[in-house]
Amino acid sequence: MKTKGVASRRRKRSAARRLRPFWIPLSLVGILAVAAVTFAIVYPGFNPKHVIAAGNRVVPSSDIVRAAGVNMNVNMWFQNGRAIAKRVEAIPYVDVARVHRYPPATVVISVTERVPYAVVVSDARSVLIDRHLRVLAPEYDATTLPQLTLPPGVALDPGTFVTRHDLNAMATDYDAMIAAHIVPLQLEYDRLGGLVATMRGGVKILLGDDEDLSKKLALVDPILAQVVRKERRVSEVDLRAPGTPVVVYR
């Protein structure tokens, strides 16, 4: 056993002797690495001189650059890119922001903007939202978007998400209507919590709860087509009981 221990120690010493010729080159590599890092830190040529926004159509480039808060006096490689992106993503219309660094001194912030989905109305206030129910901005010209009406008093601050079950359910029902090729101008709930869709021309479709929604939607086009052929003016189509639809004429 003692002989094996001595042989093992000799092998270890032998390995150390084999590495000894490389100590100087390895030390030089380490010194050069430290020097490179030190140079990168203190070299003023890596301080940002240009901050550029890319991919934006709605949000002004100046707003993106301002929100990014890139420090022009600190080496761009040592600034927290994720923190910069998060500050830009706080802009209501921005979905995703990415930070790219191009030597020697250019920072590019590329953004993906959110897409308006609907107009949400509460009291006399109306705002744009995207499909994730984030408030983008006060309504502007959004005549091609549906209007989703909520009860009074709902907070609709830009940049926040409207975390309400009724709005999420309404948006889901709107998607189902679009899939069925039915395009409402407005969705709201009546006093009993039933869904009401207002179509072009002012016709109201009373859909009630979500039970048998697909069956109810399948009745809309045939009923309206029949009414048009007869040249009758309709104010309401009640589909809350799809087995016995009711048409109310003006």
Side-chain angles (χ1 to χ4, degrees):
M1 294 296 289
K2 187 180 291 185
T3 304
K4 288 183 180 179
V6 171
S8 176
R9 286 195 295 273
R10 284 176 179 171
R11 281 197 297 271
K12 288 180 182 178
R13 286 197 296 271
S14 177
R17 281 197 297 270
R18 286 198 299 269
L19 287 175
R20 187 173 299 162
F22 299 100
W23 288 354
I24 294 176
L26 289 174
S27 299
L28 288 174
V29 170
I31 292 170
L32 289 174
V34 172
V37 172
T38 304
F39 174 76
I41 293 173
V42 301
Y43 177 55
F46 289 141
N47 290 1
K49 292 182 175 59
H50 308 286
V51 180
I52 301 170
N56 53 308
R57 292 178 176 271
V58 177
V59 183
S61 296
S62 58
D63 288 1
I64 294 172
V65 172
R66 188 183 309 112
V70 176
N71 192 326
M72 308 302 279
N73 299 311
V74 175
N75 188 309
M76 67 178 183
W77 299 106
F78 294 96
Q79 297 193 48
N80 189 327
R82 191 61 208 137
I84 293 171
K86 282 291 186 184
R87 291 194 290 269
V88 174
E89 288 169 357
I91 298 173
Y93 242 103
V94 174
D95 185 9
V96 178
R98 294 181 176 86
V99 178
H100 310 279
R101 302 169 176 90
Y102 297 99
T106 298
V107 177
V108 175
I109 302 164
S110 64
V111 301
T112 302
E113 293 179 328
R114 294 177 179 269
V115 178
Y117 169 77
V119 175
V120 171
V121 177
S122 177
D123 293 319
R125 188 179 183 189
S126 59
V127 296
L128 290 176
I129 63 166
D130 73 346
R131 186 56 187 88
H132 298 288
L133 310 186
R134 187 180 194 180
V135 180
L136 304 182
E139 179 194 353
Y140 60 103
D141 182 14
T143 55
T144 61
L145 299 177
Q147 177 178 300
L148 310 180
T149 302
L150 295 178
V154 177
L156 298 173
D157 299 320
T160 62
F161 291 85
V162 186
T163 56
R164 291 179 58 95
H165 173 73
D166 52 358
L167 180 58
N168 186 61
M170 197 180 294
T172 301
D173 290 342
Y174 174 75
D175 291 342
M177 296 183 76
I178 293 299
H181 307 291
I182 298 166
V183 184
L185 296 180
Q186 179 183 0
L187 291 180
E188 59 187 327
Y189 289 112
D190 60 24
R191 59 186 181 83
L192 299 177
L195 184 66
V196 179
T198 301
M199 308 298 292
R200 198 172 300 278
V203 179
K204 293 186 178 297
I205 311 295
L206 310 185
L207 294 165
D209 57 31
D210 283 343
E211 186 176 354
D212 294 327
L213 181 61
S214 59
K215 185 177 180 180
K216 297 171 186 177
L217 296 179
L219 297 173
V220 174
D221 276 345
I223 291 175
L224 293 181
Q226 185 178 16
V227 168
V228 169
R229 282 198 302 270
K230 293 181 179 180
E231 298 182 351
R232 301 287 298 275
R233 299 190 66 186
V234 173
S235 62
E236 289 183 358
V237 178
D238 189 344
L239 299 176
R240 288 174 291 186
T244 54
V246 177
V247 178
V248 179
Y249 295 95
R250 294 178 183 175

